[in-house]
Amino acid sequence: VVLVAMMIGVIGVMPAMAEDKVKIVFSQIQANASDESIERFEKYFMQPLREAFPDYEFEFAPFGDWQTLQVQIAGGAGPDFFQLNGPSHVAEYAKAGKVVSLDKYAEQYGWADIFYPWAYDTCKKDGELFGLHLASETSEGKVSLYAAVYLPI
């Protein structure tokens, strides 16, 4: 929920009234996911978001293969946030101009102070931050990561 609160700041949109909810779409690959894992994602990730940010409409839109995501993003109809298997994908999306730099938000919210430097730097291309990690372990108040969330343009 904390990560999403920071990322809502990245989107920079606030609904004018409760009935004018801003829709935010999350997507991740679910090619081999069990129904149980999808239910857990809904219960422990999506549901808390809806409760914490009632003025937003959150949708989970899983995709079955990487090509589906690539086609959606190329066509300008991709999700607001999407999860990949790791930070190695960020370079191709950054090079294609399909994700925005998160540098100003990282500075504003002090992300460099809460992530291990080696993990934080893995989502950088040419010195700019283009992603954040979703799953994490903590140690000594820092975060290390395994999957990444990227913000499409």
Side-chain angles (χ1 to χ4, degrees):
V1 173
V2 172
L3 174 63
V4 173
M6 293 186 290
M7 296 305 285
I8 286 174
V10 171
I11 293 175
V13 291
M14 288 296 296
M17 298 180 294
E19 59 266 16
D20 295 335
K21 290 184 178 186
V22 173
K23 185 176 189 177
I24 298 175
V25 180
F26 288 85
S27 193
Q28 69 179 163
I29 194 162
Q30 294 288 329
N32 297 314
S34 67
D35 289 341
E36 182 182 357
S37 70
I38 294 171
E39 288 171 14
R40 279 194 309 261
F41 185 82
E42 177 65 36
K43 180 177 180 179
Y44 295 110
F45 187 77
M46 298 302 292
Q47 223 173 339
L49 284 177
R50 291 181 186 109
E51 292 168 8
F53 302 99
D55 292 337
Y56 291 86
E57 178 184 346
F58 293 97
E59 179 184 324
F60 176 51
F63 53 94
D65 57 60
W66 297 115
Q67 185 176 8
T68 300
L69 178 66
Q70 290 170 335
V71 169
Q72 289 175 347
I73 291 173
D80 298 300
F81 299 93
F82 56 98
Q83 181 183 351
L84 300 172
N85 278 341
S88 62
H89 292 98
V90 74
E92 72 180 78
Y93 288 101
K95 184 178 177 181
K98 297 298 182 183
V99 290
V100 297
S101 171
L102 301 175
D103 284 344
K104 67 181 179 180
Y105 307 104
E107 185 176 327
Q108 179 180 349
Y109 295 107
W111 293 342
D113 297 330
I114 62 171
F115 291 94
Y116 283 111
W118 60 265
Y120 182 77
D121 291 341
T122 61
C123 288
K124 288 185 175 183
K125 169 144 177 47
D126 299 329
E128 285 187 84
L129 182 68
F130 287 98
L132 288 174
H133 295 274
L134 178 63
S136 66
E137 298 182 354
T138 59
S139 171
E140 302 170 10
K142 299 275 186 175
V143 181
S144 63
L145 317 258
Y146 297 111
V149 175
Y150 303 104
L151 179 68
I153 295 174

